[in-house]
Amino acid sequence: MKSGETGQRPLLIYDGECRFCCKWIERWKSITGDRVDYAPSQAVAGKFPEIAAEDFAGSVIFVDADGTRSREAEAVFRSLATGSVAGRLALMAFRRVPGFAPVTNGFYRFVARNRGLFSVLTTLGWGTDVRPPTYAVGTFLFLRVLGLIYGIAFASYLVQVPGLSGSGGIMPVELIFPQTLEAAGTRAYWQLPSLVWLSPTEAMLTGLSVAGLVFSALLIAGIAQPIVLAALWAAYLSLVVAGGVFYSFQWDGLLLEVGLLAILVAPWRLGPRGILQNPHPAARLLLWWLLFRLMFSSGVVKLSSGDPTWANLTALDFHYWTQPLPNAVSWFMNLLPDWAQRTSVVGMFGVELLLPFLIWLPRRFRLVAAAGFVALQIVVELTGNYGFFNVLTAALCLLLIDDSSWRKLGMIGRRGGRTELGEGGRRWFPSAIMWPVALAIFLLSLVPFSGAFRQPLPVLEPLAGVYEHVAPFRSINGYGLFAVMTTERNEITFEGSDDGLNWKTYEFRYKPGDLQSRPPFVAPYMPRLDWQMWFAALGGVEQSPWMFWFVSALLKAEPQTLALLKTDPFDGRSPRYLRALLDSYTFTTWEERQTTGAWWKSEAKGFYIREISADQLR
């Protein structure tokens, strides 16, 4: 009988005096579990007299249950193959892929000869614990924050639905849906996937919003999270589709994509109590990939667009006062000297173009990425009003923080609160489903992701056809804000008149108007009409067809539409005439503000919509 032919478990022998070796043995133990025994050569060398001492010192040795032995990279792969798919694939490649064995063995020998260096690198990347990290606490917190964000989104919809999509709103859903069905036929159901088809009414929109608030509370409470998340996704998709142009922002698509993927990471249990559960790696990797695409695309689009302000680092000279809804901090940030603005642009590119790659590196690098992403979102949150976008992006960063980091904060292992970290527990979807689904989503996501580079990729053409079929569900998206920086700010001012001579101004709640009004803080609330007014001012009225609906609503003095505004100068009466003026706005300087008290200064540019009466719209 060969030495080691005992019929018991395989044995991996390592140098017990090598700190570097001992660290990685702990990692391999956590992967292979009780399927492999591990022992230092100093303890078992006597059982293998035929193996020289220098062989034990130079390489790990894997002794299988039948007595066969392997060294170097093959020994590592044979051990890991007992406990992971990656290990089995590596062992298969070692045996069957030409060139793989000599390359991996060469790398193994290089590491073995430079253990001191790689021990330092290991500490730099992993710290003192190199075992595979778990992400149960981050997932727990992520799902609760996601529930809060869903609640904000549904509450925002509920408040604005009468004026935007109600019977007396700008684009009544009871008219839009039947018109779409008449024009597109049954294809409309796929083009506009929405539960609102069951009843295209304001009551349906209100009901879905209220249901969304209830489901958001259930998600925060931890009740049947996969089912609740599916309901939240379906409800928000329905409302986004019904909201049309007012719900076409990137963060609406981001919430739908995050919400859909969150179904895969949520633990399958009905009640809120239980052990913290590590998410399936396929689901976690999909959300990491989403965060990577979101951040990296945001940097790439700024370069691929060819916009000179990004290329020469002057974009922030314009951003703070030309963004859709500035706030008071934006005014102060605009006063920073040129060198600070350019340094900020460089720092932003560093966060968006470099840090995303740290997501795929060891845990300490992921923590750096998470910190950088969150810091950027805090700055953007403080200097602009982007709804729930920044909070949602920061929530994704929770999934980069492994449990060992939370353990240091006392969030794992405490008695009386959340108790232990659970590796087990039932998962709703088995790996046989999760990995193929993850692969399919990853491949489809390459289509919108490639758009950030503005270069056609023929290899993706077959996927593009499939993507077109799933695109209406708005859950696999492309991202990238401010690809081209606006360098001037136009504002539309609506005025009504009874006689065509004396005009009264309609004031909006949040967008710039009155020069003396302080730019407000609005986020995470999302004022949809005020945002769309910014886009409308970038072009002519013909590029914003919804504007004619809005003008009609003002001329009819629709109370639901007027409720979206700050003031109604006609106190509920219909004006005889309406017009829209276009003005150029810029922030005041420090001296101008000290002298006049104004936050803005403006210059008339002419008409956006010339004088129009209700009779002309009939």
Side-chain angles (χ1 to χ4, degrees), residues 199-277:
S199 176
T201 61
E202 181 180 336
M204 182 64 166
L205 299 179
T206 300
L208 284 172
S209 300
V210 173
L213 288 171
V214 173
F215 285 124
S216 299
L218 292 176
L219 179 59
I220 295 172
I223 305 295
Q225 289 180 319
I227 296 175
V228 168
L229 281 163
L232 284 166
W233 176 82
Y236 197 65
L237 173 64
S238 300
L239 293 176
V240 166
V241 168
V245 67
F246 294 105
Y247 281 80
S248 59
F249 299 105
Q250 287 193 33
W251 37 91
D252 294 310
L254 179 62
L255 180 54
L256 286 170
E257 188 164 0
V258 172
L260 185 63
L261 296 181
I263 298 172
L264 304 179
V265 301
W268 178 244
R269 56 174 177 260
L270 292 178
R273 299 184 63 82
I275 59 175
L276 296 174
Q277 185 169 309

Side-chain angles (χ1 to χ4, degrees), residues 253-301:
L254 179 62
L255 180 54
L256 286 170
E257 188 164 0
V258 172
L260 185 63
L261 296 181
I263 298 172
L264 304 179
V265 301
W268 178 244
R269 56 174 177 260
L270 292 178
R273 299 184 63 82
I275 59 175
L276 296 174
Q277 185 169 309
N278 192 37
H280 194 285
R284 171 173 50 80
L285 289 173
L286 278 177
L287 284 161
W288 283 7
W289 170 238
L290 171 57
L291 180 59
F292 175 90
R293 287 189 286 123
L294 174 64
M295 299 305 301
F296 189 64
S297 295
S298 296
V300 169
V301 296

